[in-house]
Amino acid sequence: MLEVDKATFETEVLQSGELVFVDFWSPACAPCLDLLPEVEAFAEKNGGRAKFCKVDSGANKRLAISQKVMGLPTFAFYKDGEKVAAFSKDEIDMSAIQDKLDELLS
């Protein structure tokens, strides 16, 4: 997964010509760390179908706020510069996220 920050978010995510999955996380977030192996497996399984990025929200607070990230972890899909889907905290179910990825690519 590509690590992006406030300096690279626009280029790597908003201006990307492909579907982008972004993991907003923090090393201080226990649930984020618990989900890390699942997120990495999801990215590996779907590599080549979409672009996979992560944002350390602790180090990029203004970026997270600008993207309306209200809690961690938050996963979001971006397409054509717009956020088209987001999952946060209790909504995170990797099979539902896989279904959303498949839907967005169809």
Side-chain angles (χ1 to χ4, degrees):
M1 289 182 64
L2 177 65
E3 185 80 39
V4 296
D5 59 21
K6 63 184 176 187
T8 59
F9 188 83
E10 185 166 340
T11 302
E12 296 294 344
V13 177
L14 300 180
Q15 295 176 357
S16 177
E18 58 190 314
L19 181 66
V20 183
F21 171 87
V22 180
D23 174 9
F24 290 92
W25 73 290
S26 169
C29 166
C32 299
L33 299 177
D34 290 344
L35 282 169
L36 187 60
E38 287 181 72
V39 174
E40 289 177 344
F42 173 71
E44 188 172 315
K45 174 184 174 186
N46 292 287
R49 298 183 71 211
K51 186 179 207 177
F52 293 89
C53 301
K54 60 183 181 176
V55 173
D56 178 347
S57 297
N60 295 279
K61 288 181 179 158
R62 289 184 182 186
L63 172 58
I65 290 167
S66 76
Q67 295 304 306
K68 297 180 176 53
V69 173
M70 299 299 169
L72 297 178
T74 292
F75 302 145
F77 287 103
Y78 291 81
K79 190 173 187 177
D80 300 323
E82 299 291 327
K83 186 189 300 182
V84 293
F87 301 84
S88 61
K89 292 185 174 184
D90 301 330
E91 303 170 328
I92 293 177
D93 170 349
M94 294 312 290
S95 63
I97 294 168
Q98 180 68 56
D99 291 345
K100 180 54 79 172
L101 173 72
D102 295 340
E103 174 190 324
L104 291 168
L105 288 171
S106 62

